[in-house]
Amino acid sequence: MQNPHGVREFLRLNDIMRDELLKNPVFAMAAEQFDKVADFLDLSDELRERCKWPKRLITVTVPVRRDDGSTELYFGHRVQHHLTRGPVKGGLRYHPAVDLGEVAALAMWMNWKCALMDLPYGGGKGGICCDPRNMSIAELERMTRRFTMEMIPFIGPETDVMAPDMGTNEQTMAWITDTYSTHAGHLEPAIVTGKPLTLQGSAGRTQATGHGVAFLASSALNKLDLPVRGSTAIVQGFGNVGSHAAQTMASYGMKVIGISDVNGAIWNPEGIDVKALKAYEIEHRTVVGFPGAEPVDPAKMLTEPCDVLAPCALDRVIHGDNAGQLQCKILAEGANGPTTPEADRIIDARGDIFVIPDILCNAGGVTVSYFEWVQNLQRFQWTEREVITKLETRLHASFEKVVGFAQRNNISQRTAAQAIAIKTAADAKAARGMFP
Ligand code: NAD
C-alpha cells in the first residue's frame, strides 16, 4: 500500500519528536549534560543515540469525577528511560508544571543515578499535570486509582516501580498498591516503594535521601581535612530532603546556620535548633517566624559564607548570576538539577568548591527504595539499623568511585559521576546487543 507521507516525511517527524523534548528547558539541560559526557567517553554514534533518548514515553488521559459531580480530564505521563539493566525506578509527581519533556529529563537522571549506585534498574519518572493543593483527598484518590489502571499494561515489579515525588506521598503509594493488587488478585507490595510500614514499606525510607545528603557532606568535609563537628551549613528547602539533611547534620554536631522554604528564610550564626524548628514547622507549616532565628533574604542566604551549601528544594537555583558569588566550600546537591550548565562552568573555572553532584548526593532515596523492593520480593523485613548501614556502605563506595575517577581524569565530579553512570548503562546495552 502506498504510504501517504513517504520516508522523508517520517524522518522529519522523528526530528520533530526530538525537538519537542528539547523544547523543555529541563530536558535540554539533561541532554546538554549527556552530550558533554558522551564526548568525554567517545561513545559511538549508535550508543549515543540509544542511551540519550527514552525507550518508552507513555501519555494517558485521566478522567476524574470532582466532588461537585463535574468531570475533569488530566494528562498523566510516564517515561521509562531504559529497561536494559532491569525494571525502571522513579517517582510520580503531581504538579501544575508537569509535562512530558520535564518527566523525560527526570527519567534520564534517574537512569544515571541507578547506574551510578549500581542498582539493577533503569530510570523512570511520571507525573500528572494537576494542582494537588486544590483537590480533596477523595479526588486525589480517584485520580491516583484511575491513573494506575491506565498504567497497568506498562508497570509491574519487573517492569516499572514507582515511588513518591513532589505532591505525592506514602498514601498515594498505598492507593497504587491497592489498585494494582486488586487487579492482580493478590497483594503485590513490590509494585511501588515509599509505602507505609503497615504495607511492607521499609524502615529508614523517609529519612534516606536527607540522611544521604548529610552523610556525603560529612565525607566531603573529611576529604578536605575539615572537622565535621562545628562546621557550618546552609540548607535550602525544609521538606523531606532538607529537613532530614538538616537534622542529620545537626546530629553530627554541625551548625546549620541558614534554612529556607517557599515562604522565606531564617538565619542564626550560632546554629539553628533543627529539632525545635521541625516541631515549629509541623505546627505553622513554614520555617518563617521561628523564634530561634532571624529572618534573612532567601536569595542572599545562598551566597553567605559556609562550609556546606545544600540546595534541597528546586532545580536551577544555582545559575549564572549567583555561581560566582557562592562562598561555600562544599556544594551538596540534595535537589535534582539545582545547578545550571552555565553555573557549572563558572564553578569549574573557580575550582574552589567541592561539588557532590545530585545523582550521587540525593541517591539515598532510590537506594533505600531498592532495599524496600528487595525486602518485598523476599517477603522479609530489615531493621532500620541494617538499612542505614547498608545505605552508608553503598554511598561511601560510590563517593570514593566518583572522587577517584574525577582526580584520575582531571574532570569535575559531576562529569565523573555522569561518566561512570552513562558508561555502565552503555556497556550493558553493548553487551546485550541490539534486537533483532
Ligand atoms: P518536598 O515537597 O518535601 O519539600 C520541598 C521543600 O522546598 C519545601 O520545604 C518547600 O517549601 C521548599 N521550597 C519550595 N520552593 C522553594 C523556594 N523557592 N525556595 C526555598 N525553598 C523552597 O520535596 P522533597 O521530597 O524534599 O524534594 C526536594 C528536592 O529533592 C526535589 O528536587 C526532589 O526531586 C529531590 N529529591 C527528593 C527525593 C526524596 O526522596 N524525597 C529523592 C531524590 C531527590
Side-chain angles (χ1 to χ4, degrees), residues 93 113 165-166 205 209 236-242 260-262 312-314 334-336 362 365:
R93 175 174 287 197
K113 203 181 293 184
D165 196 81
M166 274 160 67
R205 173 62 186 91
T209 310
Q236 182 191 44
F238 201 64
N240 178 280
V241 181
S260 66
D261 69 12
V262 67
C312 297
L314 308 170
N336 285 315
N362 66 35

Side-chain angles (χ1 to χ4, degrees), residues 47 50-51 55 82-84 424-434:
L47 281 175
R50 293 178 62 204
C51 290
K55 173 56 62 187
H82 279 299
L83 294 111
T84 313
T424 302
D427 285 351
K429 272 205 184 297
R432 280 184 61 163
M434 193 172 72

Side-chain angles (χ1 to χ4, degrees), residues 198-230:
T198 45
L199 285 177
Q200 300 174 35
S202 178
R205 173 62 186 91
T206 313
Q207 69 269 39
T209 310
H211 183 91
V213 172
F215 175 78
L216 292 173
S218 74
S219 306
L221 286 163
N222 287 333
K223 275 272 177 247
L224 298 179
D225 279 331
L226 294 168
V228 174
R229 183 163 281 281

